[in-house]
């Protein structure tokens, strides 16, 4: 009888420990044509979770997570979301790192009370928290990135007025991801008088001869590469074969990783891309090497990827998620496991300023982030980086912000149309 009671006590204690964990759902992808992005991003996030847990958790609450392989496939992503959302007492946040999957689960979030982050991707109009209370396109959306791209290209030409008569190709992954920036690019083409030439590439993008024939015939001043996975290195190598200068190419931040450049070899030298992380080493990365990898708990099998673009992006995501938990605990109870609704509040009240970045050992790694009900994005700032043949170099010393008045107008119009379609009454949640 005593042994049974002891067993029951131990099981109860175990359940209490498990109940104290904060469970986050990671419908990830580590195989397929986009494996480099998924493995680097989720590897960085999990490295940060392991560091937080090694340091005692968030006021004693440990981070618990589970991955589910989506292969970047929307239908598999929805299946993974459904599988993970009820595990371990219920998921309290989800991050699919896929525009297609994000669109697929969007309408389920309010009912399930699970906030979703779409860090640097997804629906740009989800920045309006009055219409999308559970979606957080943190740091910078595709619309603000597109506006920043045009600002950077205008600055290179000598000002917005100098864009008149120029030709800019939008070479894009033929998917929701590739089409997302079109409202901004089309509006700015009309506003500044440049010709926007839209050329789609069928996923995964391993064949682009016909597209580059069009580019060669068009003789554009700039090519925006809105690519992903193998499409990026194929575009860069095909540009070289067609004699198009890589200095005139500007990639989306999903076309700006080491994994895109190294397979491209010498063809990549001089190529530029957008980024929301500043290349370089940081005290946080040193701490992860010492406390996580030295303890055999690192998530990346190839340690040369530590501090790479995708890994750093995952670290940034991990920081913002943990800060949301911390902010939620400050309001709803330190040392307690937060519900999805409470983390939603934390995500809506982030303020990761320079002082907080310094405390985390990540000063300058990403732009400062301050969210609100009106602004689930929290920044809109980016940098431009250039590949020197071996590594990325930031070539804009300061963070670049495009025409936010335009992007906010588009956010308001698009989110209002969505609210009307779904019969949503826009309002701020408490």
């Amino acid at each position: 009888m005593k042994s049974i009671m002891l067993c029951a006590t131990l099981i109860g204690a175990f359940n209490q420990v498990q109940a104290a964990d904060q469970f986050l759902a990671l419908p990830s992808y580590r195989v397929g044509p986009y494996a480099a992005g998924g493995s680097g991003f989720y590897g960085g996030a999990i490295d940060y979770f392991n560091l937080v847990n090694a340091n005692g958790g968030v006021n004693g609450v440990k981070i618990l997570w589970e991955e589910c392989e989506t292969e970047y496939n929307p239908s598999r992503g929805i299946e993974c979301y459904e599988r993970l959302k009820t595990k371990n007492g219920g998921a309290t946040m989800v991050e699919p790192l896929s525009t297609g999957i994000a669109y697929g689960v969007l309408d389920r979030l309010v009912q399930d009370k699970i906030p979703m982050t779409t860090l640097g991707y997804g629906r740009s109009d989800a920045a309006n928290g009055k219409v999308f209370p559970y979606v957080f396109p943190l740091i910078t959306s595709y619309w603000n990135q597109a506006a920043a791209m045009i600002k950077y290209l205008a600055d290179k030409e000598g000002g917005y007025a100098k864009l008149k008569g120029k030709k800019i190709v939008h070479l894009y992954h033929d998917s929701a991801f590739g089409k997302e920036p079109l409202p901004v690019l089309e509006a700015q083409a009309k506003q500044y008088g440049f010709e926007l030439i839209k050329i789609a590439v069928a996923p995964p993008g391993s064949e682009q001869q016909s597209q580059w024939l069009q580019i060669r015939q068009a003789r554009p001043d700039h090519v925006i590469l809105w690519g992903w996975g193998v499409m990026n290195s194929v575009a860069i190598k095909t540009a070289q074969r067609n004699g198009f200068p890589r200095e005139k190419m500007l990639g989306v931040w999903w076309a700006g990783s080491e994994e895109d450049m190294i397979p491209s070899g010498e063809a990549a030298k001089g190529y530029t891309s957008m980024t929301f992380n500043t290349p370089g080493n940081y005290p946080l990365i040193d701490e992860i090497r010492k406390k996580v990898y030295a303890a055999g708990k690192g998530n990346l099998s190839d340690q040369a990827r530590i501090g790479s673009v995708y890994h750093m992006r995952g670290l940034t995501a991990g920081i913002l998620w943990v800060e949301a938990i911390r902010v939620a605990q400050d309001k709803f109870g330190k040392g307690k496991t937060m519900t999805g609704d409470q983390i939603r509040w934390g995500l809506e009240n982030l303020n990761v300023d320079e002082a907080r970045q310094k405390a985390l050992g990540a000063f300058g790694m990403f732009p400062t982030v301050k969210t609100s009900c009106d602004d689930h994005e929290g920044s809109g700032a980016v940098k431009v980086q250039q590949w020197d043949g071996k590594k990325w170099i930031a070539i804009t010393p300061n963070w670049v912000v495009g025409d936010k008045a335009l992007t906010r107008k588009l956010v308001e119009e698009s989110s209002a149309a969505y609210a009307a379609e779904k019969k949503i009454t826009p309002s701020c949640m408490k």
Side-chain angles (χ1 to χ4, degrees), residues 22-26 46 49-50 53 63-67 88:
Q22 189 74 57
F23 177 56
L24 310 181
L26 304 180
I46 290 169
F49 295 158
N50 278 321
N53 287 348
I63 307 297
L64 178 67
W65 66 90
E66 184 172 332
E67 296 184 75
N88 301 297

Side-chain angles (χ1 to χ4, degrees), residues 159-237:
Y160 280 113
K162 300 290 186 180
L163 289 176
K164 189 172 184 179
K166 301 291 183 183
K167 291 181 180 179
I168 299 177
V169 164
H170 177 58
L171 183 67
Y172 67 97
H173 190 276
D174 195 7
S175 64
F177 151 65
K179 296 169 186 174
E180 185 69 21
L182 289 176
V184 171
L185 296 177
E186 289 167 350
Q188 295 206 303
K190 185 176 180 181
Q191 182 177 2
Y192 297 116
F194 63 84
E195 182 183 353
L196 179 66
I197 303 168
K198 295 171 276 191
I199 302 176
V201 176
S206 50
E207 175 52 55
Q208 299 179 35
Q209 288 296 341
S210 64
Q211 287 87 352
W212 281 93
L213 177 60
Q214 291 178 65
I215 291 170
R216 193 168 64 192
Q217 291 171 342
R219 299 171 62 87
D221 299 280
H222 304 282
V223 169
I224 290 174
L225 174 60
W226 206 276
W228 183 218
V230 68
M231 174 181 166
N232 300 326
S233 59
V234 171
I236 290 165
K237 288 186 283 189

Side-chain angles (χ1 to χ4, degrees), residues 4-41:
I4 293 172
M5 289 177 66
L6 177 60
C7 236
T9 302
L10 289 173
I11 291 169
F14 177 80
N15 287 336
Q16 284 177 358
V17 169
Q18 295 301 298
D21 291 339
Q22 189 74 57
F23 177 56
L24 310 181
L26 304 180
S28 61
Y29 44 94
R30 294 177 181 264
V31 299
Y34 312 110
S39 60
F41 178 88

Side-chain angles (χ1 to χ4, degrees), residues 16-88:
Q16 284 177 358
V17 169
Q18 295 301 298
D21 291 339
Q22 189 74 57
F23 177 56
L24 310 181
L26 304 180
S28 61
Y29 44 94
R30 294 177 181 264
V31 299
Y34 312 110
S39 60
F41 178 88
Y42 289 104
I46 290 169
D47 281 349
Y48 190 71
F49 295 158
N50 278 321
L51 177 65
V52 169
N53 287 348
N55 289 337
V58 186
N59 297 311
V61 177
K62 298 293 183 72
I63 307 297
L64 178 67
W65 66 90
E66 184 172 332
E67 296 184 75
C68 176
E69 179 61 53
T70 70
E71 297 182 12
Y72 195 74
N73 180 291
S75 60
R76 290 194 64 151
I78 294 168
E79 289 173 13
C80 280
Y81 170 80
E82 291 296 330
R83 190 181 311 159
L84 293 174
K85 74 179 185 181
T86 56
K87 287 202 168 184
N88 301 297

